[in-house]
Amino acid sequence: MAEDTNNTKSSNQMWGGRFASGPAAIMEEINASIGFDKKLYAQDIRGSIAHATMLAHQGIISADDKDKIVHGLNTILSEIESGQFVFSRKLEDIHMNVEARLAELIGAAAGRLHTARSRNDQVALDFRLWVKEELQKVEVSLTSLIAAFLDRAEEHADTVMPGFTHLQTAQPVTFGHHCMAYVEMFGRDRQRVRHAIEHLDESPIGAAALAGTGFAIDRHMTAKELGFREPTRNSIDTVSDRDFALEFLSIASICATHLSRLAEEIVIWSTPQFGFVRLSDAFSTGSSIMPQKKNPDAAELVRAKTGRINGSLIALLTVMKGLPLAYSKDMQEDKEQVFDAAESLELAIAAMTGMIRDLTVRTDRMKAAAGSGYSTATDLADWLVREAGLPFREAHHVTGRAVALAEEKGCDLAELSLEDLQSINPAITAGIFDVLTVEASVASRKSYGGTAPSEVKKQIAWWRARN
Ligand code: ARG
């Protein structure tokens, strides 16, 4: 798209009646938003077509003028999409760029389009439409990410790995169960996206500058035409409100936080020390100096993009927090934050989906690690409660002594002899060895939502029916 940055001083075409001389160059630079809000061209044109159609339907403009306006707007749409349109910074923003071109194309009738509206409700409309479409895209990409996790979870419902707390080996779990934890997180993100779409599904157009209008407009008609559930109810709120942008950024930040935790796990898992996964070449890079290296750059960048997305949320919250009602020009700063966060989020979700689909799970390494660090100690304690009738606190103490003994002997809990174990507590029988293996430990955790493969498979089926 071309841009005309020619900086001649002339009075503005839109409010030239009151302003005798053009703006200082620096004013033009700080004031103009066309550099970024041209992204809203399709929403702007759609909104204007709906508005003109309603104005004609209500007899506020003639059918003939409406036809000229609609035709002119469609011409502008194709000019922009084919790259012929010349954007001008002197015309400030997308709204005035489109309207000025409309005047060139159709003459006087163009001047009737802005009847009963203001750029305040116009920008609120354009931006809401854009955010709504973006949320719909995020909903689709989260569904793909969830699908990738469901496939990996199904494949690895029985693959044992260590579960961690404090990144210290805690209890054995399955890789399938771990994958399903992310399904829950991204499932909640997707619910938040759906709720946000519901919240913003109200049409702002017709609120005009802030007070509504004396023209007999039909806001229900434009709302319907533009695919909104209903019109907004308070014109002051309508032009002041950027909750929909803040909500988008909050959701993006929470989702990015989930992506970042996953990225961090991938970085850790792919180190030679952990070696739980091998990243595909497609999502890693080599080192220019160390030939043995394979770096998880994509995961690292997903982790880093989270900082950027969180920054956008804080930036817009800060812009909005001191604004009196209704519109203030500060609000023009909303767009770049949302556009940037949207781009980063889409990229991060797509990269993670690819990485999850492509990575090789090293089941041997996971299994070896699952048994280390006395990960079945809780199972020993539980056995003492169940089979020997010990109170849990006492069982915990006995188990602690067994761990200390194993540590002293440099072996696993399952490698202690029955005599060793009975020297700590005589109630222990050979049956104990059934629960000391990693597989037995995992299989026993059948509580609802637990890590037993049978339970994980139930959760996978639950999600498959909803994805
Ligand atoms: N470019 C402006 C924005 O993004 C459009 C609304 C301007 N309204 C106004 N009264 N100056 O917020």
Side-chain angles (χ1 to χ4, degrees):
M1 294 177 201
E3 190 156 344
D4 166 24
T5 48
N6 178 5
N7 200 22
T8 52
K9 286 205 170 191
S10 64
S11 124
N12 187 292
Q13 327 189 4
M14 298 292 165
W15 53 72
R18 163 109 159 56
F19 287 73
S21 69
I26 197 75
M27 175 57 191
E28 186 176 300
E29 188 156 350
I30 196 169
N31 200 34
S33 55
I34 189 62
F36 48 86
D37 70 12
K38 59 185 167 191
K39 223 185 171 84
L40 299 174
Y41 74 90
Q43 290 76 13
D44 195 71
I45 290 173
R46 246 181 89 200
S48 289
I49 290 176
H51 182 66
T53 306
M54 180 278 293
L55 290 177
H57 184 263
Q58 298 298 101
I60 298 166
I61 65 170
S62 71
D64 187 43
D65 282 346
K66 185 260 292 178
D67 290 343
K68 284 189 193 136
I69 289 170
V70 171
H71 185 262
L73 288 169
N74 281 322
T75 306
I76 294 170
L77 182 65
S78 41
E79 285 178 354
I80 294 177
E81 292 191 331
S82 63
Q84 292 164 7
F85 192 95
V86 181
F87 290 98
S88 161
R89 206 173 66 175
K90 283 207 298 293
L91 291 166
E92 246 189 81
D93 57 26
I94 185 63
H95 325 296
M96 297 208 284
N97 269 265
V98 170
E99 200 182 321
R101 178 68 184 137
L102 189 64
E104 280 173 17
L105 288 171
I106 68 166
R112 300 194 183 276
L113 171 61
H114 215 52
T115 313
R117 80 170 181 189
S118 146
R119 279 189 297 156
N120 296 350
D121 57 341
Q122 194 178 356
V123 73
L125 169 66
D126 295 3
F127 201 29
R128 257 186 210 237
L129 284 171
W130 194 92
V131 171
K132 187 177 171 187
E133 284 162 35
E134 183 58 33
L135 285 165
Q136 286 161 342
K137 280 190 219 161
V138 173
E139 185 182 356
V140 172
S141 40
L142 283 174
T143 299
S144 307
L145 177 58
I146 291 170
F149 269 115
L150 287 174
D151 288 347
R152 298 319 301 258
E154 192 139 43
E155 194 185 327
H156 291 286
D158 298 286
T159 301
V160 289
M161 70 178 279
F164 301 93
T165 60
H166 315 265
L167 196 58
Q168 306 287 327
T169 302
Q171 292 172 346
V173 296
T174 66
F175 184 60
H177 195 210
H178 200 103
C179 286
M180 292 306 289
Y182 282 103
V183 167
E184 295 290 336
M185 293 187 242
F186 295 121
R188 285 194 297 274
D189 290 335
R190 190 174 55 181
Q191 276 306 105
R192 273 185 275 272
V193 165
R194 288 173 181 161
H195 289 148
I197 293 173
E198 257 178 70
H199 297 158
L200 69 63
D201 213 6
E202 296 175 350
S203 172
I205 195 73
L210 82 162
T213 174
F215 290 98
I217 58 170
D218 182 350
R219 294 192 59 211
H220 289 87
M221 179 177 170
T222 36
K224 190 159 179 240
E225 181 62 30
L226 292 164
F228 288 108
R229 188 181 57 231
E230 59 193 326
T232 54
R233 283 165 303 280
N234 181 298
S235 59
I236 296 176
D237 174 54
T238 302
V239 295
S240 314
D241 165 40
R242 288 296 180 272
D243 289 9
F244 60 95
L246 291 172
E247 200 166 357
F248 172 81
L249 291 171
S250 318
I251 293 169
S253 296
I254 296 174
C255 180
T257 299
H258 293 154
L259 290 163
S260 186
R261 294 181 76 174
L262 172 61
E264 171 66 4
E265 295 209 305
I266 288 177
V267 170
I268 294 172
W269 291 346
S270 62
T271 56
Q273 288 73 13
F274 265 76
F276 286 3
V277 300
R278 201 178 286 116
L279 290 176
S280 72
D281 290 349
F283 288 100
S284 41
T285 60
S287 156
S288 53
I289 178 170
M290 297 163 283
Q292 85 285 9
K293 289 199 75 180
K294 196 166 180 183
N295 296 326
D297 295 40
E300 293 167 275
L301 287 165
V302 166
R303 196 170 56 183
K305 298 253 181 232
T306 305
R308 202 169 154 147
I309 295 171
N310 291 349
S312 294
L313 170 63
I314 298 301
L316 188 56
L317 284 169
T318 311
V319 165
M320 296 304 296
K321 70 174 267 299
L323 299 187
L325 308 187
Y327 178 86
S328 294
K329 196 61 170 268
D330 311 50
M331 289 161 72
Q332 178 165 287
E333 291 284 315
D334 55 2
K335 290 165 211 67
E336 283 171 294
Q337 303 303 339
V338 169
F339 292 157
D340 188 79
E343 192 179 324
S344 299
L345 184 67
E346 273 186 53
L347 210 51
I349 296 175
M352 271 308 172
T353 307
M355 251 181 283
I356 292 304
R357 286 222 174 272
D358 280 15
L359 58 79
T360 306
V361 178
R362 302 180 66 188
T363 52
D364 53 331
R365 297 279 308 205
M366 283 189 178
K367 189 179 152 87
S372 70
Y374 310 106
S375 66
T376 56
T378 318
D379 299 274
L380 198 161
D382 286 350
W383 185 93
L384 290 168
V385 170
R386 231 178 19 246
E387 307 293 328
L390 266 60
F392 183 78
R393 280 290 153 227
E394 194 183 332
H396 186 283
H397 184 76
V398 170
T399 307
R401 288 179 56 207
V403 168
L405 183 62
E407 219 162 21
E408 198 182 300
K409 297 199 163 197
C411 69
D412 278 342
L413 284 175
E415 285 163 1
L416 289 173
S417 68
L418 185 58
E419 294 72 46
D420 285 340
L421 289 164
Q422 283 173 338
S423 75
I424 298 168
N425 189 301
I428 296 177
T429 68
I432 190 84
F433 293 106
D434 291 345
V435 302
L436 292 184
T437 67
V438 168
E439 285 78 7
S441 163
V442 158
S444 73
R445 302 199 185 278
K446 289 198 188 78
S447 55
Y448 186 82
T451 201
S454 56
E455 194 53 36
V456 171
K457 283 171 194 160
K458 276 186 216 160
Q459 301 304 338
I460 295 171
W462 190 92
W463 274 102
R464 286 249 186 248
R466 286 162 182 78
N467 200 45

